[in-house]
Amino acid sequence: MRGFVGRKMTMVAALMATTGLAAGMAAAEDVEVLHWWTSGGEAAALNVLKDDLATKSIGWVDMPVAGGGGEAAMTALRARVTAGDSPTAVQMLGFDILDWAGEGALGDLTEVATAEGWDAVVPAALQGFSKFDGKWIAAPVNVHSTNWVWINKAALDAAGGKAPETWEELVAVLDAMKANGITPFAHGGQAWQDATVFDGVVLGMGTDFYKAAFIDLDPAALGGEQMAEAFNRLIKLSTYVDANFSGRDWNLASAMVINGEAGMQMMGDWAKGEFVKAGKVPGTDFVCIRFPGTQGAVTFNSDQFAMFNVEGDEAKAAQAAMASAIMNPVFQSAFNVVKGSAPARTDVPNDAFDDCGKKAMADLAEANTNGSLFGSMAHGHAAPAAVKNATYDVITAAFNGEYADGAAAAAALAEAVAAAQ
Ligand code: GAL
């Protein structure tokens, strides 16, 4: 036994001598990336990034933490930073980025951002989360949005063929799908998924209302009649899921729509990554629409790579090189075509995108011009984590029938948000 250990030690020592590395340590030019892109579509998009970095001789040390929406990833990150072992770059959303910047944990990308003119091409709504105290701290890779519905085309045809444009039409299509013997609404009962659906429901009550409730956190809007109606709608939607919805991962819900077992999924456009990965074509196999009643408005979430403090010139150079690669317009096109999102830069041509991707880009530009572009509450772009999590609790309880009615849920929401601030 001792002989074996001795031999192994010698081999490790030899390896260290040839590579200049301690065992298990990343090379200085490597970047260690913490992310939650583990579904088929997400992994395919991540590969576009890994491959791009490989062409620039930037090595990749993978730290995946499964779990849609990134809650588990953020818990893992906290443990790493507390242990004094921050990753190089972390997939991160909205207010979480600003929180980490406020703690002084993030590096500074301003030099590369200035040299490459990021200020001129990244929309202000995104820059609000990419910069802190005037410094660039994160590189935005995309713009997703949550107010989408993904419908199986054959199931829609069997349900009358017309994509719903209003709440009433949505309910009629769901009823028709139910009558046709399929699960109308493919859903995974996880708090962040319930909340993602609720983004669309609340936005469907009007853009002013979404802003008052979720951006301004106005107690009257959070606890009032419109919110009661929003919760009644969410409770209605909960009647269209199958018996096994609880805890299901979002990509498995997407698969139900892809294979025709279910009619539709209400989910952000990362769901399109799953359809594309499965070889499905918009307009032929599936239909993408804005959540009925939210046409012209967008609740966005932008994945950004927040850059943590790293030691040493080479590590800093690798980090800046990664950020530069992410912001390259050619890369932003290639990546987002696969991911299902729109580019984070306004100057990327839409030629390579499918119809849903072109719509995502056009909707984003329109919403931005019209003042109807809002941060997603479900994905950390409307309010900091404490408030977001408070909404999760009430939304999930409502979805699972724990309130007498929408009015009771709205009252609970106003109370929970007030307590979280
Ligand atoms: C979102 C993220 C997307 C997608 C989704 C499901 O929060 O912005 O990129 O990965 O979670 O995992």
Side-chain angles (χ1 to χ4, degrees), residues 36-37 42 68-69 91 93 144 192 250 270 301 303 339 379:
W36 63 91
W37 284 336
E42 289 173 332
Q91 178 197 352
L93 301 173
H144 273 300
W192 74 270
W250 68 272
W270 47 91
N301 58 307
D303 289 301
K339 186 67 171 73
H379 293 264

Side-chain angles (χ1 to χ4, degrees), residues 92-166:
M92 211 182 280
L93 301 173
F95 281 89
D96 288 345
I97 305 173
L98 303 181
D99 284 351
W100 280 109
E103 290 190 29
L106 301 188
D108 186 358
L109 297 171
T110 309
E111 200 178 315
V112 59
T114 307
E116 297 182 357
W118 298 0
D119 278 284
V121 291
V122 175
L126 266 58
Q127 285 192 35
F129 299 110
S130 325
K131 289 168 95 169
F132 186 78
D133 269 352
K135 286 191 274 185
W136 282 86
I137 47 168
V141 67
N142 67 19
V143 192
H144 273 300
S145 52
T146 53
N147 58 317
W148 286 106
V149 184
W150 309 91
I151 314 178
N152 179 293
K153 176 78 165 61
L156 180 63
D157 288 344
K162 182 180 180 294
E165 288 175 35
T166 62

Side-chain angles (χ1 to χ4, degrees), residues 119-396:
D119 278 284
V121 291
V122 175
L126 266 58
Q127 285 192 35
F129 299 110
S130 325
K131 289 168 95 169
F132 186 78
D133 269 352
K135 286 191 274 185
W136 282 86
I137 47 168
V141 67
N142 67 19
V143 192
H144 273 300
S145 52
T146 53
N147 58 317
W148 286 106
V149 184
W150 309 91
I151 314 178
N152 179 293
K153 176 78 165 61
L156 180 63
D157 288 344
K162 182 180 180 294
E165 288 175 35
T166 62
W167 170 253
E168 291 71 25
E169 288 178 11
L170 174 64
V171 170
V173 172
L174 288 163
D175 282 336
M177 287 174 168
K178 194 174 197 171
N180 289 341
I182 58 168
T183 297
F185 173 22
H187 184 61
Q190 297 174 346
W192 74 270
Q193 294 188 59
D194 302 337
T196 300
V197 175
F198 201 54
D199 272 1
V201 173
V202 172
L203 189 64
M205 303 296 302
T207 50
D208 289 347
F209 176 66
Y210 185 94
K211 181 175 179 297
F214 277 178
I215 306 293
D216 302 338
L217 305 180
D218 171 2
L222 286 164
E225 268 173 38
Q226 276 177 293
M227 190 57 84
E229 172 60 11
F231 275 115
N232 283 331
R233 290 182 178 188
L234 184 73
I235 293 165
K236 175 75 175 165
L237 290 178
S238 75
T239 65
Y240 295 104
V241 303
D242 67 324
N244 300 321
F245 84 101
S246 187
R248 174 187 288 132
D249 285 332
W250 68 272
N251 52 315
L252 300 182
S254 305
M256 290 168 69
V257 180
I258 289 169
N259 67 30
E261 193 186 323
M264 66 177 82
Q265 182 182 25
M266 301 164 200
M267 186 47 62
D269 39 14
W270 47 91
K272 199 194 74 183
E274 301 301 304
F275 284 82
V276 169
K277 182 86 192 348
K280 302 300 180 190
V281 178
T284 308
D285 305 306
F286 69 99
V287 175
C288 58
I289 58 165
R290 288 293 173 182
F291 192 97
T294 72
Q295 295 86 342
V298 168
T299 40
F300 80 96
N301 58 307
S302 163
D303 289 301
Q304 308 214 18
F305 282 96
M307 300 297 177
F308 278 70
N309 287 323
V310 288
E311 295 294 326
D313 289 348
E314 283 182 54
K316 285 193 170 73
Q319 193 173 51
M322 177 182 175
S324 168
I326 286 170
M327 295 307 296
N328 180 292
V330 176
F331 165 76
Q332 290 245 341
S333 176
F335 176 87
N336 287 302
V337 160
V338 180
K339 186 67 171 73
S341 32
R345 302 175 56 116
T346 51
D347 60 347
V348 177
N350 72 359
D351 314 314
F353 289 78
D354 63 25
D355 287 351
C356 297
K358 287 191 168 79
K359 178 171 167 53
M361 292 170 76
D363 287 355
L364 189 64
E366 185 193 336
N368 194 24
T369 315
N370 294 346
S372 46
L373 176 65
F374 304 104
S376 154
M377 174 58 88
H379 293 264
H381 283 71
V387 168
K388 179 190 86 170
N389 291 334
T391 71
Y392 276 20
D393 291 346
V394 179
I395 294 164
T396 289

